[in-house]
Every structure is written in structure tokens, then in C-alpha cells.
Amino acid sequence: MTQAIITSVAGPVIRARREGGFSLGEAVHVGEAGLLGEVVRLSGDEITAQIYEDTTGLAPGDSVEGSGLPLSVRLGPHLLGNIYDGLLRPLAAEDVAQRYHLRPLVEPGESVRAGEALAEVEGPAKAQVLLVPPDISEAKLDHIETGEATLDDVVARLTLPDGTSREIALAHDWPVRRPRPVARRLPPDEMMVTGQRILDSLFPIARGGRAAIPGGFGTGKTVLQETLAKWCDADVIVYVGCGERGNEMAEVLHEFPELEDPRTGRPLMERTVIVANTSNMPVAAREASIYTGVTVGEYFRDQGFNVTLMADSTSRWAEALREVSGRLGELPSESGYPAYLSSRMSEFYERAASVETLGGTRGSLTVIGAVSPPAGDFSEPVTSHTKRYVRTFWGLDRGRAQARFYPAIHPLQSYSEDAGGLVDWWTAHGNPNWRTQRSRILDLLEAQAGLERMARIVGKDAMPPTQQLTLLCAGLVDDAFLRQSAFSPTDRTCPPDKQTEMLGALMRFFDLAEAAVARGMKVEAIAGARFYRRLARMGEEIADGDPTRFAALVEEMETELAGLGREVSDAV
């Protein structure tokens, strides 16, 4: 075991004179308490390490012991349903005697390869599988246990081609900064359904995609991420509270265990892992927390699950990088952030993917990072660098949030590069016209922005009827489609088939209203029609799986507009 002697302590950073060989990225244990740290710099006979715990009490002369291994976390079937710190240490005492039931999937004597499932593991949460470690390309199964075992029990024994033996336990360690290998990456052609219309229909994210949610204080980042965690169609949720305020993280820790999984009726925590790291915890641990979270996500992805990782917020993570960088005496870049901010961010987001696993199954890891730009300034470094590495950008707007508009996503500041690859997905799910409908709505909202500025100058009544109709239609899109009520049992989530029906009703209204205005009907008459209020509230008033109600609404709309058209003709 290599050792070093501390020569200086500066907050979370220590320097030590080494008495043996250390490697970059090696995990170290510091002082009498064995504080966990990681070597971040080697210079001659001196090492520099960042410590992931409170360094109060450390002093020059204390010892540093190297582990010979990179900074790693323990992965296994115990993760689901539990809450951990930034280095995956449980915040509550774990039951080390917890037993998991094994059902072998391979017989002794059979050949196995990396990533292949050896057994199904059943525990108190979701059933999982025990995999052949990814560093074993080929082996023969000598023995596998049947029945119950604890995390540390040896449950399988393999013989490698060179004749050596390898024992497999339920839990194993994996370096947090090393991506887990896969057979190949797959194209992003499956949508991750969120249940939020503005996201699914206008700015969708593919399974294995990368998204950012930037927004100033009070715009609803945390609420939106919690909503996505509950209603998105992921198999496993990894929620990383990265340097958030203690009260916000406490709210998450209090609410998540009480939430019901809408798909199973069981507690949502059974398919959730929470990595909790608040702003008053050691700053270096915040830097490691997102790598911890993405490593956990990759572990479940390799089992064939669709995993969604929520990081709240990457701005606090970047602030931790800035503070540690300052302690290291590095030359700062823009706004004081280190010059390697962009590369570290890319290392995180690029681990998201839809993949064919080593075992031949399909799994995905979708990463959604919240960003907290000061004063909502999207040009600041963290937001601008994030835009380089994500394909979906959901920009939150303070004005919409203050108007109690939820989700407060600004449709003209947001975009989705995944949308082009999801046309076939929407076609297969019953909406071959999705691309055209999406473009029409985005064009309408863009036209609304220019016309509203004009209306403030000349007044809406002075505008031509066609422009008044554009404002009416855009307002209807806002109220009927983009706004959702989190308090409504009917409207808090919206499946794709219902979104298709709503889009169809809106498109029919646009066509009928344009024809009516062309015949001389006043826009005020259209807005005052009986069906208009029902159209604006169709998300709340029409339940999921009831297409006949939408057909009746469209029929009522056609009938009433035809009647109003006859009144106009008679008046003429």
C-alpha cells in the first residue's frame, strides 16, 4: 500500500509528499478518519488530491494511503429504492444481511460472454439480472447458486480461457469516470414519452437522448423534473440532487417516498435511486455526484432497462468545479470557471445513449440536466456549453412562470434535434401528420410573437381579421394544448394518443376558422361560440382513451360555425 504525508490543506484540496507510486484518479484515504479522496495531479514527488468529505481537523503530517484503484462505487440490486450521498454511500443504515432470491438462467458447463445474464435477482424492489462482468470476453460457468444470497456472497464461479477462476458476487465496484462498455450505439428513433404535451408534441426527446432545462430561480425546474420522474415511461429513475439548497432537496426526499407509481400503483421509490448532495455538503463530492449518478444509470441500462437520469442542477456542479479549480491554483477561464468545464460537461452528457448491450439486449440512458443561469441569462458559460452537448433544449421563461403557466417552457427559445428522427415513431403510434402539425403550430407561435408587438402599438381591434385570427388561434394553442394542470387528474399527464386527438381538433379548428373569416365572419363571433370554451378546456374535460368525445367536439364545432356562417350570409 502506497503512502504520502500531507504538506498543506486548502479546503477540499490537499497536497502531500509521496513515498510510493500513485496514479492519476486513484482513490486515497486521508488521516485517521480515512477520509475518501481522489488524486487529481502528480508533480515530481508531490501529489494533489481532492477530498470528498469535510477536511476540518486535517493537518500537515497526516498520512495519505493509496488504494491502488480508481475512485469507484458499489453497484448491485440494493440500489433501487434507496437514498445515497454523492459517492453512493447510503444516507440511512443499509441492511447488509438483506437477502435476494436468485433464479439461474444458465446451466453449469455452458459458455458465457461479457454482459450475458447469469441469473434473475428478485429483491424488495424491481427484479434485476446478474450479468457476466464486462471485462470477461468469454468463460465457462462452473457453478451458480440457487436460492437466496446477500450482496457479498459468491453466487457464481467462472473459468476463463487461461484456466484461471473468477468468483462473481451480487455487488461489484465500477470506476465512476469510466463509461461501461456496450456492443454498439443505436440511432435515437424511439421517443421517451413524458406525458407533457409541449415536450412530446413540440420538443420531444428520444430514448438515450440528452436534454437541458435552463431557467432562472422560480421558473419550475425542480417541479418539472419531478413531474418527468413520475410520468415518463422509464423503467428506472436516477435523481441526482447536485448541490441544490437543503430545503429543496429535503422536499424531494420527503415527497419521492410517498409518490405512487402510476404504472404499477406501488411506491415510485421502488424504481428510483436518489443521489442527494446539498449545497452545504463537501463541495468536491458535488463534483463527483453526477458521475456517480450516470454510472448507476449505465448499470441499469446494461440490464436492458430504459433509464432516465435527472441532474438538478449542473450549474451547482460547475460551481464546485470552479471552487476546486481555484484551490488548485489553475488559471480561470470565462466567469472564473476552469478551462476544462466544456470537456467535463461533454464527458457527462455523452454517456447518454440508446445501446445494444454486451448481452444483446436493448437499453437506454436518457440524461436530463437542469441549469440555473444567474438572472435567467442563457448566454452564461454553463448554459452556452450545455447547448453544445444536448440535442433537446427546454428553455423555461420567467414571464410564463409568473403568469402561472405550467410547464413554463418558452416555445420560441426551445428546440429538439431529436424531432426529425421520431416521425416514424409518431406514425407508428397513430399520427402520420405529426410533422406537419408540429410545424404549423410552431409557425403560428412565431407569428404570434410579432403580432403581439404590433397589437400593443395599434390595438388589436385595428388589425386585419386574418391577423386577429392568428392571435386567437395562437392563444388557443397556449391555453388548450401547451398549458397543463398538474392538479387535474385528467390533465396532469397526456398520453400520445390523446395528444394526437387534440392536435387533430386544433388543426380542424384552424381550417374552419380561416374559411369562416374568409367568408366575412368576425373573429369575435368565433371566440364567443359555445364550442370554443370546450375546445380550450378539452385537455381537462376529456379523459384519456375517449376518442368519441373528440369526434363529438369536432362535429359540434363544424355545426356551430356553419350556423354562424348562415347568419352572416343572411345579414349580408
Side-chain angles (χ1 to χ4, degrees), residues 400-421:
R400 291 170 85 86
Q402 291 175 343
R404 300 293 188 268
F405 194 101
Y406 179 82
I409 294 172
H410 198 296
L412 301 184
Q413 295 178 354
S414 305
Y415 61 83
S416 170
E417 296 177 18
D418 288 343

Side-chain angles (χ1 to χ4, degrees), residues 6-7 16 21 102 114 128 148 159 177 184 227 238 288 345 363 376 382 412 469 478 503-504:
I6 294 179
T7 57
L102 270 75
Q128 301 172 51
E148 295 189 338
T159 298
R177 301 188 191 275
R184 64 188 179 102
T227 300
V238 180
M345 196 168 285
V382 179
L412 301 184
L469 180 61
D478 263 338
L503 283 171

Side-chain angles (χ1 to χ4, degrees), residues 519-521 562-572:
R519 295 194 304 268
M521 186 182 298
L564 291 173
R566 286 192 296 271
E567 292 177 6
V568 171
S569 300
D570 293 343
V572 171

